[in-house]
Structure formats: C-alpha cells, structure tokens
Amino acid sequence: MPAQRKLLPDGRWHFQHGPIDLLIGADGDAPTLAHAQQVAWRRFETILDELVAELPLLRRPVSGCACPLNGDVARNMWVACHPYRAAHITPMAAVAGAVAQAVLACYRREGVTRAWVNNGGDIALHLTPGSSWRVGLFADVSRFEPRTGAGPLRTDADFTVHASLPVRGIATSGWRGRSFSLGIADSVTVLARTAAEADAAATVIANAVNVDDSRIVRRPACEMKDDSDLGTLPVTVDVPTLDDATVRHALAAGERRARDLQALGLIWSAALSCQGRFALVDAERQAQLPQMQGSVPQPCGQAVGSVFA
C-alpha cells in the first residue's frame, strides 16, 4: 500500500506508510507551512523503501568506526546507536526517532517558528529562539483505548522544552512498547539532542531497568518474532506484580545507567517508570515532573510522549 496522508480537523497532519505512523504539528506563516508540508510529504514517501533496501545491515549489531549504511536515515540510526556498541545493539533501536527526525528537517526553515513530528511517542522538535513545546507523559497505555463519553485524557506528568535547552528529541521505551525490551521498565522517557539519540538511549536505559527474578517471563526474541534483530537474546514477555524492594532495585539499576549516559553527554534527562514507582534523572531541574516523584496508586503501563502547544 502506498504512503497515505490526512489533514486532521485541528490542523495536524497524519502520515502513514506500513509500520510508520506520524503525527505532525507546526506553527508559522501559512505559505511557508504549506510548502514545508509538501516537502515533508515527498520526503516521507521515500523513507520506508530506503530502509527496507538496507534492512539486512540495519539488523546487524553496530560495531567498528565506519558506518556501512548509505541512506541518511539509516546512517543517523547507526550513529545514534554507536556509543552503545559494547553491548548488542542494532541501528533498529533508533529507527522511530530517526524517521521523525528526517521528516522534521523539512520544517527547519525561515517562517516556521516551531514544529514537531511524533512517531508513536518518539518525537523530533524544531524550536526557534523564544519558542517552546509542552510535552505530556501518559503512563497507562490502556487509557488510549476508545471510551464512550469519557473526558479528555489526563497526563501523568508534563514538562516544557524551551528553545534554549539542548533538547530536540524525546523517546520512550519499555517492555510494554512496540519493540522488545530486555528489562522490566513499564516506560523510560528520554530527552536528548536528537530524536534518534533519544530513541537509542531510551532503549538502553529501559534494558537496564532489570532484576534477576524467576517470576519474570522471558523468551528468545527470535521465538517471538522470527526476523527480530535481537536474535536469541531473551526479551521480556510478562512481568507479574513484584514486591516493592524488587521494583526499587530494578529502577535503581536503570537510574545508574541513565546518570552514566547523562555524564557522557548522551542524554539531557530521563524519567523511568516501573509498576507505579518512578525515578527521575533531571538536568539542572529543568523538567517539571511533580506527579512522577515517588509512587502512584496504580501500576503503570507504556508511557507515551505527546506534544501540546
């Protein structure tokens, strides 16, 4: 099926092609926005075929210093994952963020004051001086199911990304998400320089939110999906309700990993969630996540980043 697009009633655009599903919002003067949208659409139409053409290499673990890939999206995926090459990581760990990043680039032009591209919760941002976006985090994926007569969805936390911050990418990973995870985090949301970098780092930190417990169900990735880039690595299939000490131990491991990446300049900040408990690795207390400190009454599911004006 060819790529499809639709203008939504609120002015956002919906682009969809195979597994790629984007929501796009932008502010600026109307003629420039119309032109940027056309450029973005033409770029979007080519991305899936480009990635499929290099899929065998994209599924190989990142190693060495020379990138073997050709397309700009594929190369950005590889570069974002390269700092984590000591462990098993393939460029696919950054695919959603890199795709969002490629489409967003079409909006970086005079006359566009700000823009965002949301690829299933992995978000690329464009901000001009003085502008900002408010980002909301949802911790329970079940609340995205259609509900007759229900009111608006309430975010579990939110923060504002200002143009002055070195943040242009936001991504979320966890065992409940679209991709496999080695850990037990319900969600790990990362802010970083680019969406591809945030995507890769979120994967790595979510893998680190882990504990050795026989009650956790794990299966080789290739048994869950025969073409998985993770091969025989055991991925998390089910996590029962764990005692508080075990959850704290898993979160602490992920928090240590996040702080290490922060010290290396690979991320700006991160919010980690596991069974109703949260950890926040914040840079200079810029992010405001008051509701995510400590614990909340109910266990949480996949967190999804959403952008609000």
Side-chain angles (χ1 to χ4, degrees):
M1 182 178 293
Q4 301 179 50
R5 62 175 168 173
K6 180 180 180 181
L7 179 62
L8 302 178
D10 61 4
R12 296 176 301 166
W13 279 93
H14 179 208
F15 289 2
Q16 195 275 327
H17 194 191
I20 307 175
D21 200 301
L22 307 183
L23 284 175
I24 303 169
D27 294 334
D29 66 73
T32 302
L33 287 178
H35 177 67
Q37 192 278 325
Q38 284 299 114
V39 174
W41 172 245
R42 291 196 297 269
R43 179 68 188 100
F44 178 76
E45 288 182 297
T46 68
I47 289 177
L48 183 60
D49 289 341
E50 291 175 11
L51 293 176
V52 170
E54 298 198 78
L55 197 53
L57 285 176
L58 289 170
R59 286 176 171 163
R60 293 182 184 176
V62 173
S63 63
C65 295
C67 177
L69 299 159
N70 295 312
D72 64 307
V73 178
R75 292 182 67 84
N76 282 338
M77 292 162 60
W78 189 92
V79 170
C81 295
H82 190 255
Y84 312 107
R85 63 193 180 279
H88 181 107
I89 190 169
T90 76
M92 295 302 292
V95 61
V99 169
Q101 197 174 304
V103 174
L104 180 86
C106 303
Y107 290 87
R108 292 196 189 101
R109 59 186 66 229
E110 187 175 354
V112 179
T113 55
R114 60 178 190 165
W116 56 264
V117 176
N118 187 334
N119 188 1
D122 295 342
I123 303 167
L125 301 173
H126 166 62
L127 294 166
T128 56
S131 64
S132 64
W133 283 112
R134 184 170 67 86
V135 182
L137 295 182
F138 294 94
D140 186 352
V141 71
S142 68
R143 290 191 288 129
F144 285 88
E145 298 175 358
R147 300 174 300 166
T148 303
L153 291 173
R154 181 183 62 84
T155 58
D156 295 290
D158 62 78
F159 53 89
T160 300
V161 178
H162 297 278
S164 59
L165 297 180
V167 172
R168 296 297 181 270
I170 304 163
T172 297
S173 184
W175 80 270
R176 295 179 183 273
R178 298 177 297 172
S179 302
F180 295 138
S181 178
L182 310 184
I184 65 169
D186 292 326
S187 64
V188 170
T189 298
V190 168
L191 280 67
R193 285 176 299 226
T194 70
E197 292 177 12
D199 199 0
T203 300
V204 169
I205 297 169
N207 286 344
V209 180
N210 210 354
V211 67
D212 186 12
D213 192 302
S214 61
R215 294 171 293 175
I216 300 169
V217 181
R218 308 179 198 268
R219 295 283 185 271
C222 58
E223 290 184 7
M224 305 303 299
K225 186 178 180 182
D226 56 13
D227 62 349
S228 173
D229 59 306
L230 296 177
T232 60
L233 286 177
V235 297
T236 303
V237 175
D238 186 53
V239 183
T241 301
L242 302 172
D243 59 88
D244 188 66
T246 300
V247 173
R248 286 178 179 272
H249 181 78
L251 271 178
E255 184 177 0
R256 287 194 297 271
R257 187 69 168 122
R259 292 196 183 282
D260 288 343
L261 301 190
Q262 187 184 59
L264 292 170
L266 294 171
I267 70 169
W268 178 252
S269 58
L272 294 67
S273 168
C274 184
Q275 299 202 355
R277 300 209 66 85
F278 299 91
L280 180 63
V281 176
D282 194 3
E284 301 180 10
R285 305 302 301 174
Q286 295 289 346
Q288 299 300 315
L289 304 175
Q291 294 174 313
M292 296 191 73
Q293 298 173 3
S295 61
V296 294
Q298 299 177 353
C300 295
Q302 166 71 4
V304 179
S306 297
V307 177
F308 303 84

